[in-house]
Amino acid sequence: MSLKFTNTLSKKKEDFISINPNQVKIYCCGVTVYDLCHLGHARSYLNWDVLRRFLTWKGFEVKFVQNFTDIDDKIINRANKEGCSTDELSERNIDEFHKDMDTLSILRPTSMPRATKCLHQIINFIEELEQKKVAYSSNGDVYFSVDKHKNYGKLSGREIENQIDNAAGRLKKNQKESKKNSLDFALWKKSNSDEVSYSSPWGNGRPGWHIECSAMVKQELGESIDIHLGGSDLIFPHHENEIAQSEACNGKELAKYWLHNGMVNVGGEKMSKSLGNFTTIRSLLDKDISPMTLRFFVLQTNYRKPLDFTEEALKAASKGWERLNNCLSFGYIYKIKDQAKNEINIDKPIKRSFFNKLDEDSFKLLSDFEKYMDDDLNTSGALSILFELSQPIKKFISFLKEKDINEVDQEELNEVFNKWQLLSELAGVLGLKVNLNQEKPTNNTELDTNKIEELIKNRSLAKANKDFLLADKIRAELKNIGVDLIDKPKGVTEWKQLSD
Ligand SMILES: [Zn+2]
C-alpha cells in the first residue's frame, strides 16, 4: 500500500506524491505568542511531529517550517495589561513555547520565522497583490478583494454569496465604510497612534494575520509546497485566505495536500477559555502526567478525530505507556551485546539494514506498522503493533528473573535483541522515548472488568454490522490497556490480561 492522506481540499483520501522526489516541504501554522500553550496545541504539534518523523523514516528529506505570530490584537492587549512591550511579551512566550515542545520531544522545525522579522517580505507581497489588482488600499488599510479570486471557498467548500450576507451583519461601522465587499479581509491594518506600528507604503500599521503565512511560505519554501498543516478551526477563514493571497500572487497552487487535526474536548465539551476547562501543557505536566503519557494518549486517537480528554482516559494511557516503556527499557537495562554500537536515535529514525535479519513474525509486524501509518497516519493501529512486538520481550524479561543472562542461548538472545531494536525504532517513529528512570509499575491487576465487557459487546455489535474498522479499533483500544481478545466459535469472545 502507498502512503495516503485525507486531503481537506478534495475531501478524499489521496495517494501522497511529493513535488520533488524524496523531498517534502511542509508548512504548519504556528502559535500567536501571547500566552502559554494549551492542550489543543500539544495535540496538534504532537500529531505533526509524528507525521514528520514518519516521512523521515520513509526516506524523505523533510523541510518543516512553522511560524510565530508575534504581532496582533491579542498580543497588544496582553502587553498593555502586563505593562511590557509586545516584543518582551513575545520573546518570553517564544521561550516558553520551546520549553513545552522540547519537553514533549517535538522536533524543532527547520525554521521558525516571526511576523515582525518578515515585514519586508509581507509588504512586497501586498504590493504585488495591489499590482495584480486583487488588493486595494482604503484609509491606511489594505484589503484583499475576495470577488477577484475565482476559486475563493475551494478549501472550506463555502459559497461566497452566502458568506457575504452573513459577514455583512457582523461588520463594524467603520469597516463598512472602508471595505468594498463585506468578505474582503485585511492585508495591512492602520494602527492607532499609540499602538506599536511599522512603516509601510500605506502609512504606519501592521500586517493582517493571514498574509504573514503566505509571505513566509514563499520566502522559506517557495511558491508551491507539498503539505500545509493546521487545526480544523483554521480552515476558514485563515487557510482559505492564505490560498486566495498566494494563488492570486503566484499563479500557482499553494499546497497540494491540506491536513487538519481535530479539536480537543474536555469532559465532553469543547475546550475553551470561556468554559473554564482550559488546560495548559504546563499545568497538566505539573500534575504527575509524564510527557510520554501525554504523547501516547494523543496518539491513541486519529489526528482528524476530536480528542476526548478525561482523567480516566489519561490514567489508562499512563498504564499503557508504562507497559511499553518497560519493554523499551529492556535493551538498556541488560546492556545486551552491541547495544552501544546500535545506539538508537529516535530523533533521526531510519529504516535500518538489520530489518533484513528479522524473523518472519517481526517482519510482518514491521510491514503492518507501516501499512497502518501509510493509511492516513493510523497511530492507534501503529501502537497496537508496538504492543504485539513487546509481547516476546515481556516474556523474556520474566524469564530473566529466574535465569542469569549469561546462561541464555546466544541465538535466542539475538532474536529478542532484534525484536527490541525493532520495537525501539518503531517507537521512535512515533516519538516515544524510553524513560529509564520511570519506576517499575506495580502489578497492573486493577482492570475495569465492566468496561472491558462493554467494549467487547460493542465490538461484537460492530462486527454484526460489518463495521470491521470499528471492531479493529476496539480491539486495539483493549490491547492498549493490556487486554487480549480470543474469538471463539459461535461469536463468543473471551479475554485475558496480557502478561506483565
Ligand atoms: Zn497560517
Side-chain angles (χ1 to χ4, degrees):
M1 198 177 106
S2 55
L3 176 58
K4 285 180 166 55
F5 295 128
T6 300
N7 190 350
T8 309
L9 203 55
S10 63
K11 295 165 190 66
K12 284 191 194 120
K13 217 183 258 186
E14 291 177 19
D15 281 330
F16 175 75
I17 300 158
S18 58
I19 299 171
N20 297 322
N22 305 322
Q23 190 195 51
V24 185
K25 293 182 189 179
I26 301 179
Y27 184 85
C28 178
C29 290
V31 287
T32 302
V33 285
Y34 74 103
D35 207 347
L36 290 175
C37 285
H38 54 72
L39 263 184
H41 297 123
R43 196 263 165 111
S44 184
Y45 299 134
L46 278 167
N47 281 137
W48 305 142
D49 180 64
V50 169
L51 165 69
R52 179 182 178 185
R53 287 171 188 268
F54 182 58
L55 288 170
T56 309
W57 183 70
K58 280 179 89 79
F60 289 101
E61 179 216 340
V62 182
K63 284 193 177 173
F64 193 104
V65 178
Q66 184 174 322
N67 68 314
F68 284 121
T69 299
D70 61 350
I71 185 71
D72 93 327
D73 287 341
K74 282 181 191 145
I75 293 177
I76 294 173
N77 294 339
R78 182 62 68 92
N80 285 343
K81 217 167 151 189
E82 295 190 12
C84 64
S85 72
T86 52
D87 278 351
E88 279 164 358
L89 181 76
S90 300
E91 207 60 53
R92 190 177 75 221
N93 282 317
I94 286 172
D95 282 348
E96 300 300 333
F97 173 89
H98 284 310
K99 273 186 216 159
D100 282 342
M101 296 300 123
D102 291 352
T103 307
L104 294 175
S105 285
I106 291 171
L107 299 175
R108 292 205 180 189
T110 326
S111 80
M112 300 199 80
R114 304 180 189 188
T116 60
K117 302 256 168 31
C118 297
L119 289 165
H120 182 66
Q121 288 79 8
I122 291 172
I123 288 169
N124 279 350
F125 205 107
I126 300 174
E127 283 185 316
E128 250 184 88
L129 290 173
E130 267 191 318
Q131 280 156 21
K132 298 208 156 112
K133 307 256 182 282
V134 289
Y136 58 92
S137 63
S138 168
N139 302 324
D141 294 325
V142 184
Y143 292 101
F144 184 92
S145 249
V146 164
D147 52 9
K148 295 266 171 62
H149 186 66
K150 65 175 191 310
N151 284 329
Y152 194 75
K154 75 171 177 180
L155 182 72
S156 57
R158 298 192 182 209
E159 289 187 22
I160 180 167
E161 280 78 18
N162 295 340
Q163 290 301 309
I164 289 171
D165 294 342
N166 285 331
R170 291 198 304 267
L171 277 185
K172 288 183 199 140
K173 192 164 171 292
N174 62 343
Q175 277 182 312
K176 262 184 195 158
E177 281 155 12
S178 50
K179 277 195 196 182
K180 287 183 187 165
N181 183 322
S182 54
L183 258 197
D184 292 351
F185 56 90
L187 301 168
W188 188 265
K189 292 176 175 176
K190 184 170 121 179
S191 295
N192 297 329
S193 55
D194 56 339
E195 266 173 17
V196 53
S197 67
Y198 308 90
S199 64
S200 81
W202 314 280
N204 285 348
R206 59 191 162 84
W209 171 37
H210 315 301
I211 192 68
E212 70 177 70
C213 290
S214 284
M216 289 167 179
V217 169
K218 191 172 183 178
Q219 175 191 276
E220 302 285 329
L221 297 167
E223 292 176 337
S224 286
I225 61 170
D226 295 289
I227 306 176
H228 197 307
L229 303 172
S232 56
D233 53 338
L234 297 183
I235 296 173
F236 190 88
H238 184 56
H239 289 163
E240 197 72 74
N241 292 351
E242 272 188 48
I243 291 178
Q245 295 160 160
S246 293
E247 299 189 357
C249 179
N250 305 327
K252 281 190 187 152
E253 186 176 47
L254 170 59
K256 266 180 94 175
Y257 302 88
W258 289 80
L259 271 56
H260 290 99
N261 65 270
M263 298 290 101
V264 171
N265 294 325
V266 177
E269 277 183 314
K270 192 176 180 261
M271 186 179 75
S272 83
K273 277 196 172 163
S274 54
L275 286 171
N277 60 2
F278 197 78
T279 311
T280 61
I281 297 173
R282 203 61 60 84
S283 67
L284 187 72
L285 297 183
D286 282 347
K287 278 194 231 155
D288 264 4
I289 304 295
S290 79
M292 284 303 128
T293 293
L294 181 57
R295 185 180 272 265
F296 183 92
F297 169 70
V298 166
L299 297 182
Q300 283 177 316
T301 302
N302 177 281
Y303 74 92
R304 300 177 64 239
K305 300 265 164 63
L307 177 69
D308 286 310
F309 187 81
T310 60
E311 297 258 325
E312 220 175 56
L314 206 57
K315 238 187 244 168
S318 159
K319 281 190 183 165
W321 166 241
E322 265 177 28
R323 298 162 60 82
L324 202 55
N325 189 52
N326 270 350
C327 291
L328 286 170
S329 313
F330 166 71
Y332 294 98
I333 290 173
Y334 290 97
K335 294 207 188 333
I336 302 180
K337 124 192 195 312
D338 283 348
Q339 190 247 308
K341 249 194 268 169
N342 286 300
E343 197 62 58
I344 284 160
N345 178 359
I346 73 155
D347 292 342
K348 284 204 180 73
I350 40 162
K351 279 196 209 170
R352 290 144 51 107
S353 53
F354 77 84
F355 288 167
N356 300 333
K357 291 184 231 148
L358 293 172
D359 61 66
E360 212 177 307
D361 285 353
S362 304
F363 192 79
K364 164 104 179 28
L365 290 175
L366 165 65
S367 93
D368 285 349
F369 175 90
E370 190 165 7
K371 264 187 220 156
Y372 274 126
M373 292 295 285
D374 274 345
D375 185 15
D376 202 18
L377 302 178
N378 180 349
T379 48
S380 77
L383 283 176
S384 72
I385 297 296
L386 297 194
F387 277 101
E388 253 177 78
L389 199 53
S390 63
Q391 284 311 307
I393 300 171
K394 230 181 231 173
K395 265 197 201 137
F396 195 73
I397 295 174
S398 325
F399 171 73
L400 282 181
K401 283 179 188 152
E402 286 142 38
K403 250 191 172 167
D404 188 82
I405 193 149
N406 297 320
E407 296 169 39
V408 180
D409 175 64
Q410 196 57 40
E411 210 169 300
E412 194 182 345
L413 196 59
N414 286 347
E415 207 176 286
V416 182
F417 180 65
N418 280 343
K419 284 186 203 296
W420 169 77
Q421 246 190 342
L422 177 62
L423 176 70
S424 302
E425 289 282 345
L426 299 187
V429 175
L430 303 180
L432 289 164
K433 201 177 199 166
V434 64
N435 177 3
L436 297 174
N437 299 322
Q438 193 157 315
E439 275 176 41
K440 283 234 158 198
T442 49
N443 266 345
N444 288 336
T445 40
E446 345 129 22
L447 290 171
D448 182 345
T449 328
N450 288 338
K451 179 152 184 229
I452 293 165
E453 299 289 349
E454 196 191 311
L455 283 169
I456 292 175
K457 220 187 269 166
N458 291 346
R459 177 170 168 267
S460 303
L461 265 174
K463 275 167 77 179
N465 293 330
K466 301 210 173 347
D467 187 349
F468 298 110
L469 224 78
L470 177 65
D472 280 351
K473 208 190 146 218
I474 296 173
R475 178 190 269 276
E477 197 179 318
L478 282 163
K479 191 158 252 177
N480 287 348
I481 59 169
V483 173
D484 204 12
L485 300 183
I486 307 124
D487 286 322
K488 295 269 160 115
K490 293 182 189 163
V492 176
T493 302
E494 292 178 359
W495 66 273
K496 66 169 189 219
Q497 188 173 357
L498 292 163
S499 54
D500 274 311

